[in-house]
Amino acid sequence: MLSFRDPIHGFIRADALETELINSRPMQRLRFIRQLGWTFLVFPGAEHSRFSHVLGTMHLAGRVYDALAAKSGGLLPAARDCRERRLVRVAALLHDVGHAPYSHSAEDLFEEGIDHEEMTRRLIDTPEVREVFARHGDGLDRREVQQVLAKEARGPRRLLSEIVTSELDVDKMDYLRRDSLYCGVEYGSYDLERLIDTVAPIEDPTNGQWRLGVDHGGVHALEALVMARYYMFTQVYFNVTGKVMELHYAEWLRSQGLRWPADPDAFLQHDDVSVWQTMRRSDNRHARALVHRERFSLAFETGEHLTAGEQRRFGELLPELERRFGADNLLIDHSAKDPHRLTKKRVLVRRYDGSLQPMAEASDFIRHMSRIESYRVYAPEALRREVAGAVRELWGS
Amino acid sequence: MLSFRDPIHGFIRADALETELINSRPMQRLRFIRQLGWTFLVFPGAEHSRFSHVLGTMHLAGRVYDALAAKSGGLLPAARDCRERRLVRVAALLHDVGHAPYSHSAEDLFEEGIDHEEMTRRLIDTPEVREVFARHGDGLDRREVQQVLAKEARGPRRLLSEIVTSELDVDKMDYLRRDSLYCGVEYGSYDLERLIDTVAPIEDPTNGQWRLGVDHGGVHALEALVMARYYMFTQVYFNVTGKVMELHYAEWLRSQGLRWPADPDAFLQHDDVSVWQTMRRSDNRHARALVHRERFSLAFETGEHLTAGEQRRFGELLPELERRFGADNLLIDHSAKDPHRLTKKRVLVRRYDGSLQPMAEASDFIRHMSRIESYRVYAPEALRREVAGAVRELWGS
Amino acid sequence: MLSFRDPIHGFIRADALETELINSRPMQRLRFIRQLGWTFLVFPGAEHSRFSHVLGTMHLAGRVYDALAAKSGGLLPAARDCRERRLVRVAALLHDVGHAPYSHSAEDLFEEGIDHEEMTRRLIDTPEVREVFARHGDGLDRREVQQVLAKEARGPRRLLSEIVTSELDVDKMDYLRRDSLYCGVEYGSYDLERLIDTVAPIEDPTNGQWRLGVDHGGVHALEALVMARYYMFTQVYFNVTGKVMELHYAEWLRSQGLRWPADPDAFLQHDDVSVWQTMRRSDNRHARALVHRERFSLAFETGEHLTAGEQRRFGELLPELERRFGADNLLIDHSAKDPHRLTKKRVLVRRYDGSLQPMAEASDFIRHMSRIESYRVYAPEALRREVAGAVRELWGS
Amino acid sequence: MLSFRDPIHGFIRADALETELINSRPMQRLRFIRQLGWTFLVFPGAEHSRFSHVLGTMHLAGRVYDALAAKSGGLLPAARDCRERRLVRVAALLHDVGHAPYSHSAEDLFEEGIDHEEMTRRLIDTPEVREVFARHGDGLDRREVQQVLAKEARGPRRLLSEIVTSELDVDKMDYLRRDSLYCGVEYGSYDLERLIDTVAPIEDPTNGQWRLGVDHGGVHALEALVMARYYMFTQVYFNVTGKVMELHYAEWLRSQGLRWPADPDAFLQHDDVSVWQTMRRSDNRHARALVHRERFSLAFETGEHLTAGEQRRFGELLPELERRFGADNLLIDHSAKDPHRLTKKRVLVRRYDGSLQPMAEASDFIRHMSRIESYRVYAPEALRREVAGAVRELWGS
């Protein structure tokens, strides 16, 4: 039974199963995976790891579960030690164990073409984690956790998946707050208490599925969450300097032919520390860019919301740029993100009269938020002006 | 010219010289020295490095300087770009560069018997840092910085040393706030604004030296700073679990015969990352204790304020303990700290009528705070009860 | 020379002139005008007065002035005691003295058809305030303050007016933060430090006027301010329960034939305390509604963004409602607000390449935010259901 | 069923009984009793009323109850709607209804020599409150509430009284936080979460009574609470300017022969608003001092911790002062407060080994904190220097 102090949530407590999971190697490894990858080189406070994030996520999973159970009319049991509550907390706790070093910076480099979700699944299947479940699970099976994470559960249990992964999941709720605090910015603030107060279990009449929705009073709280996320993307996650570091990192990984092992035991050997030690010894230009601060500089950036036509046109000018300056002297960032997926993934709002309305209709903001689509061109400082001139000439701005 | 976001102070700005110093290797290395050593294994949020701490310290040095200059009647110039202000900020920025990996955990292991202050001095003497001063110093010399850090300046300039190192220095002001925030506790809170508002330059009539003191209205603010520090020591810095990790670390270092190089260039190769990578590959029992969470457990602890006699008596029972259980199976922590040094180091209070009074007399609290002196005995979990019984028998509690 | 502690800004200091103005009757009266009128009956924490708001506004005026001066290339002097800086702080301090009891709740009830801005002007012309300027103005004239408030200044001085009244004025900056804190909500949070960091003096090329604008990096910070204001309107200022209390208050004032005196000396006798004492003694139904909590209940509300056609249609069904239930038994709220006026009032953004762009073009959000236009119908609890049914029948929802 | 937003605790919810009590006249009157009396004239933010304080106190009562119940081994039932939990929340909610206008400033002026606790008892006996209990009490009787407030309960129920009134009651927990926030100071901060985490029900072996105590780990958290209270007294509650306003107020009340009615119905007519309106119309010197800011000035103050001998000596010089300047021209403040009553009222600490120790022994700080005993002399500004000289001459400092 552990108890942690947390800068965001105060006390976070873990029961016996959670404690043993926290003490397992896959979880302890997260202490050495920074939540925001290279961002700490731009926002010095952002040195926090995934470890504290997943504790916070587990904590919020319990809180949102309680809020739903209280409104579910018996659909979800309300006891603090009921199976469903334990399940959703454990799923939240484990949801990030498969992340590669420096988090999102190089996630497409797994062997066998797997992704971090699959690695999470495999780590939950390792003998160490299986044994923890066997000894402390008290009836809870690791496969149920995998089902929740894979969104395979049916009926009300589907709500557990929604708590952990959806448009208003506890993952976002935690990381927006946490990343804001550690970065020293306020973009990620939204009304957490109000949001938890207004989430509601709603059965989607179009397909009979149980989904996370909000009461009418929560429309603005959910809007604010979406906005907070949007700002964190534009100001922090897609930061000009942070992005070039990700690009150098990815180039270096590629140049070394590095792949994250698909075997979970081998995978556990890789974290930010092991990678950083290797980069320090590398003579590669991109490793040096990060280790010795010899980064490429921003030569050009487009607007934030390129149309499909503009994107195509930007793609078409790249070969000419590479011809003039050499592909080696250019790093191209393509930052793209939907501010939400509420158009595709319905989140329902329960109005005062009980009728349901998709969030995308209930909120003007949501309807009008544009997808982020932008490009940036980086080059060695010595070439920056020349490259900048060339892009402007070709792009015409 | 850099500008940083900081969770404690908001925006922190650096001028040209500061920017280049921040970009130098000795400063960048601090990104990989955790401010609180192994504490992040107990307080998961405490993953912050010395890097953000020294930025905060520099920022506060400027603020306290401004407060003093405004009250100094011309003793210190008030312009924002005056030499003294630039000097004290740079001294604050550089004051921690000599710290060994994991900060205070193993600071007596320098070659040649030097300490981290001497290493700081040497790093400021490296060609890289000298060149930064030469090119961006705009008249500021690195030797002046060393003088401020060594408290060698005379006259009003001595106040600069006091800002950086004294009983009410900006080092404490920053770390108490910062460590509190990251640990998720509130012990380290005190009234920063009030304290800055009441610090005053005071000439000590007993020796004519300029010292940092406080106006009458600041007595309680300074008390609160002392209290905050006391609580951070008892609750965080001397935490039961944190301490055993320091002991394992020190044992491992000793077992490997490791010494921190006295040569600054060689020293720069050592940080938390390099040490951790080495420990991971070690089969040593104490390395494993940290890497694989096979830590000794607490078997016994004394009270917090042992008398000299009690300390002696505790020391005397150790040989018997070692005889019974083997020195290898025991880790002994001796936590000792003065809550302040205001008895020895006079901080003067200027009363409403202009008369001066030593803080140690002005404050009841200060006078009655006892030195922390306590012992803890740790042993392998398997031996814990037996060791606990033995200590109780010998110590008689 | 006064110094105040403030929950939002820490220390707020006042110079000699400001101190005497603060001690004058028009300013002290603001201690008894609640910042948010009747809102404290809904959000219990919102008991704060205009007095602390104007101190905060003065404080921010100085901060924004400093930020502008630093970027103005000499256009605005940078010294802390320069005339322009003193002027803008004093204008900010005095900008709200003309507010009627319960702030915005009944502002159209001045004698002679004047408004609170005109009353502010008159109060600055009273002998008491004139004498303060004469004795402590140190060259500053009350007429200059009136000019700044009336936006009559030309050239760079126009920037002072912009600091106090514009789309990104210190009034909003303060009240959003302050009202949020006291209400215990987070809707009003935005990145104050970033905003102050990015405001810039910009000469509008279309008319040569100096305006407050933002650097490119401030677009999102300004968006966030606009959003924060929007949320505070929808969630707090236009709160369902708060609105009915304003309606009862207005009805009571009208029933008593009350008018706020146009004579400043007589006006100073009226504040929340004097009005409340009178209401307590009143037998009027609307006074009782507030004093004895016999408020009308919400029977119906429209959507938040009615079209012009819908508004007209809603207006047309009111006579029929009144015919059925009696005008006495209905309170109709019309909440209407532009989320910003950036379409009409240009705020310019200075892009990385120095070119200027109106904020309304630079920001997708801004372009798509819809005007709030909504109606609510309140009725005595006993009639609520019946009225609700009737409105639904007539309105067709 | 009400739900409130609160700046300190986030959401505060009230059940049916609590809602009706909150809507009753005795509770609504607290909206017009400022929590800190005249302090808002010194700390402009401190405009908060007792109303929000009692909501916060009720909220904390539930939280502390839950913490105790979880540790009580069945002594206290753990269900959220159990009788004991409802009882302690309601007692906390009602504990302050008997406060006179401007809170502590004039509490000895009740008719019949009663005090505010007795008035609280009487208000709970009014027909209005009785009816609320009758209709919504669901088995809870108002007399039980009175017993809890009067500390008359026996057995484990005594713990309920301890939660509401003791050395570590929820009253202090709330007001320290709340007053700190609103005043804009940090003196009142302490680790609320840690404190709630460590409170424990302890049976005092000396008399078999159940008391609120703390686990060993809570010693420092309780120390911090005591310190926070001490600082709030020295810096805020005993503030130099705040105190003279209380003295003027008391003088005015006395000069008018005002008494707070002992009849609860008549008492309800008196609040800050009614008193202030009366003072405004008064020509009395002390009323004018408050209304027109014609306050006496501080001429002299003694140290903070006078000995009994010094107190006597100070008392003896007053007649001479009055002879010289006239009693009318002097206001004498005697500020006195025990920083805690832990010496008389045992709070027990449960040590790691299960043994119990009085807090006054467990904590060095607690043992050494001195009682506040100080005097201040105020006089009209015109006489200030002369009075100051006279006191110094007589007192000899």
Side-chain angles (χ1 to χ4, degrees), chain C residues 180-386:
Chain C
S180 265
L181 177 78
Y182 282 89
C183 288
V185 302
E186 301 192 33
Y187 310 117
S189 84
Y190 63 92
D191 199 327
L192 174 63
E193 298 303 317
R194 181 74 175 155
L195 190 60
I196 292 182
D197 197 47
T198 54
V199 289
I202 295 181
E203 197 173 2
D204 189 331
T206 62
N207 58 11
Q209 266 185 355
W210 282 97
R211 309 291 293 268
L212 228 61
V214 291
D215 295 330
H216 185 79
V219 167
H220 290 304
L222 177 50
E223 277 179 1
L225 182 82
V226 171
M227 299 290 299
R229 188 160 164 266
Y230 174 79
Y231 282 122
M232 285 303 282
F233 269 98
T234 59
Q235 305 292 300
V236 177
Y237 308 146
F238 289 169
N239 177 279
V240 167
T241 312
K243 273 290 170 183
V244 76
M245 295 191 292
E246 276 190 20
L247 292 169
H248 282 302
Y249 175 54
E251 286 301 312
W252 174 73
L253 287 170
R254 242 165 258 138
S255 73
Q256 311 294 305
L258 268 171
R259 282 278 176 281
W260 311 126
D263 170 63
D265 251 330
F267 176 76
L268 287 180
Q269 309 303 317
H270 296 264
D271 59 16
D272 292 10
V273 166
S274 66
V275 167
W276 184 239
Q277 274 298 84
T278 312
M279 292 182 81
R280 282 171 164 183
R281 299 200 191 95
S282 172
D283 264 342
N284 177 279
R285 176 188 206 173
H286 297 292
R288 294 186 56 82
L290 284 165
V291 175
H292 299 289
R293 307 176 68 76
E294 300 167 358
R295 302 190 290 249
F296 284 19
S297 304
L298 179 70
F300 183 81
E301 65 179 330
T302 66
E304 256 179 8
H305 306 286
L306 295 196
T307 62
E310 288 169 325
Q311 287 176 60
R312 203 176 332 108
R313 196 157 68 77
F314 192 86
E316 287 164 8
L317 60 77
L318 291 178
E320 171 62 14
L321 271 189
E322 294 183 359
R323 201 189 55 76
R324 293 201 203 170
F325 300 100
D328 278 7
N329 284 322
L330 297 170
L331 285 174
I332 311 297
D333 167 55
H334 178 201
S335 286
K337 192 82 193 174
D338 280 321
H340 60 82
R341 284 169 300 178
L342 291 164
T343 321
K344 291 168 224 158
K345 308 221 167 177
R346 284 154 59 89
V347 168
L348 294 170
V349 177
R350 190 190 307 281
R351 289 195 284 195
Y352 285 129
D353 59 4
S355 67
L356 300 174
Q357 187 182 26
M359 180 68 186
E361 289 172 25
S363 160
D364 251 36
F365 281 131
I366 297 299
R367 208 163 41 238
H368 288 116
M369 290 181 78
S370 316
R371 180 176 165 81
I372 302 171
E373 283 284 358
S374 71
Y375 286 90
R376 290 175 179 135
V377 180
Y378 299 89
E381 179 57 29
L383 289 174
R384 192 178 57 79
R385 284 175 151 257
E386 210 178 330

Side-chain angles (χ1 to χ4, degrees), chain D residues 2-26:
Chain D
L2 286 173
S3 167
F4 298 96
R5 302 298 290 252
D6 180 68
I8 312 292
H9 307 296
F11 277 95
I12 295 180
R13 284 165 232 281
D15 68 18
L17 172 62
E18 291 157 0
T19 296
E20 293 307 317
L21 288 172
I22 289 168
N23 287 338
S24 72
R25 279 191 308 151

Side-chain angles (χ1 to χ4, degrees), chain D residues 306-314 395:
Chain D
L306 295 197
T307 62
E310 288 170 325
Q311 288 176 59
R312 204 177 330 109
R313 196 157 68 77
F314 192 86
W395 177 249

